[in-house]
Amino acid sequence: MALDGVTVCAAACELRHFLTNGYISKISEPEHDELMITVKTQEYGMKRLLISIGASMPFVCLTDKSKTAPVTAPAFTMLMRKHLQGGRVTAVEQPSLERIIKIVVEHRDEMGDLVNRYLITELMGKYSNIILTNEDDTVIDAIKRVPPSMSSVRTVLPGERYFIPETQDKADPFVRNDREFFRNHILGRPMNVVKALYGTYTGFSPVMASELCHRAGIDGNDSSASLAEQDITNLFESFTELISTMREGDFSPEVIYDGRNPKEFAAVHLSIYEDMECRHYDSISGAIESFYSQKNEYNHMRQRSADLRKIVANAIERTSKKYDLQMSQLKDTEKMEKYRVYAELINTYGYGVDDGAGYFDAVNFYDGKEIRVPLDPSISVHENANKYFARYDKLKRTRAAAAGQAEESRAALSHLRSIEASFETAYTEDDLLLISEELRRTGYIKKSTGKGKNEKTRTKSRPLHYVSSDGYDIYVGKNNLQNDELTFKTGKGNDWWFHSKTYPGSHVLLMTGRTDPMSIPDTTFNEAGRLAAFYSTGKDQEKVDIDYTLLKNVKKPAGAVPGYVIYHTNYSMTSDTDISGIKPIPE
């Protein structure tokens, strides 16, 4: 889980810095599981605090974006306005590195007396909640009430006492951080080091525990009991360094990307993801907002493409079965030559064989070896020859038909896999429209009667654009229709064209402009090859073989499916799939 106690600590530090002594001016509930609080500060102006307790992605961050509030405010919002609006934020706390942020608000009650109210946000996955309490920890209300029927561990209802759920005897790392306690509890657990770490201390996720092990040069999957004293020393130093970072508020927020998919975010540098792209942010709110907005967009695109993915997956399954059957038929025809030889040997030597014989031995005049020719004793020797010739002719016809069908199925399967790969580079609705249009063109989706809609929206989707370290533009097609347009409309004859030799993938175009194509620096060739490797189905491999050639050598056969090209003159290289350091240009 990305939002662990360490990240919440960074968020609490940031809220403390910007919101303390500010006055709450507005409270709204844009969604049923969100709260937007506007705080007016003297030093930083208006600050918007967004709290989301969505089961899959709960978070707290400061944001510059506004969200539309419902016309009629929900009951919880009205209650919040009554107890908090106009109040002064006096403190922002995080109890014991828990995934909890407590905002203390000084407010006047109905009698005009100053009282404290506590706005408590619990960021605990599906158990996340926003709870408002009095000074004596009495629950005023919660955005999600938890009756006894929902939880036997802790109820959250008006009038109930608020308390933090049990932490399974985990220690507060700000309190129990001496070396002896650390050593005894890590070594004394019969489990691997990562589990021992997050099982000992509150607020540590498996990711953060893995990061501490990596910094200490320890394999986190090793048994904690197997650690040497020097390993414990190194691990303890990594641990105390992290605690010091949190105490001082010296965070370095970042988001880790697996391709264009946001994989992880953290308040500190995660060296365990050194081989992935890392983007740094000035604030933890910036990292959180960026991560969750992009994650939402990524998940949204996955959902939107679900129907198309299913169509392609079903087509691949059907075509694969058909192809396997055709290849099985081809394998069965391998014995047709044997039947022809039997028939010819019978015609050559059969005059000396009596009718009713079950076989005879003869010398195969093709290889000079003796061969036994089986015979059907119920028919004459001459009829046996005719029977073998008939089998041979039938298998020969079957082979000719099956070979053609198998080649068609193989090509269709390759095309479908290239469409399947296009989903990984479909970042917008327009990208999906192009994939949908290709499926219609190739008959996998029934063509609609409406015209013009796809043509109009298609132009909004653009190829991916990168700039090499030497300043050359490199374009990457996101799907087969875009590949065709990039290769045969955008590029010029002296531009360089790259593609994976063995895997379905994008067409990559290196624009040479007026530069002599043979004088392009090797670094740019290398970067274009890496892009072709990454944007192929072989991206999970360490190395991918890449073909590259001048664009004028690339041709498209008449009637070929989108994305299919041929070329006979090319160079080859082996590229890795790491594209970090290659500068992307936003669309």
Side-chain angles (χ1 to χ4, degrees), residues 58-109:
F59 64 89
V60 171
C61 72
L62 297 174
T63 180
D64 294 327
K65 299 176 182 177
S66 60
K67 303 191 79 170
T68 304
V71 177
T72 303
F76 184 72
T77 302
M78 297 301 294
L79 184 73
M80 293 281 288
R81 290 173 179 173
K82 173 184 176 182
H83 289 280
L84 298 182
Q85 194 157 305
R88 182 173 68 93
V89 177
T90 59
V92 178
E93 304 169 355
Q94 181 195 20
S96 304
L97 208 67
E98 293 279 3
R99 289 171 289 164
I100 296 173
I101 293 180
K102 179 189 288 188
I103 300 177
V104 183
V105 181
E106 186 181 69
H107 190 268
R108 291 191 181 276
D109 62 12

Side-chain angles (χ1 to χ4, degrees), residues 484-517:
D484 278 354
E485 185 171 350
L486 190 64
T487 300
F488 299 108
K489 292 184 179 180
T490 305
K492 306 298 182 184
N494 282 337
D495 293 332
W496 286 98
W497 183 89
F498 295 74
H499 193 274
S500 165
K501 182 187 289 288
T502 54
Y503 297 102
S506 298
H507 293 194
V508 175
L509 194 64
L510 167 58
M511 310 289 280
T512 58
R514 296 183 179 180
T515 306
D516 178 2

Side-chain angles (χ1 to χ4, degrees), residues 298-317 416 419-427 432 435-436 439 445:
Y298 179 80
N299 291 339
H300 173 71
M301 288 300 296
R302 294 285 297 188
Q303 292 169 358
R304 292 285 294 175
S305 66
D307 290 341
L308 293 177
R309 287 176 184 270
K310 187 175 181 180
I311 290 170
V312 174
N314 289 341
I316 287 176
E317 183 179 5
L416 284 166
I419 297 176
E420 185 179 45
S422 300
F423 289 113
E424 299 306 315
T425 50
Y427 305 127
L432 291 181
I435 296 175
S436 178
L439 291 171
I445 295 179

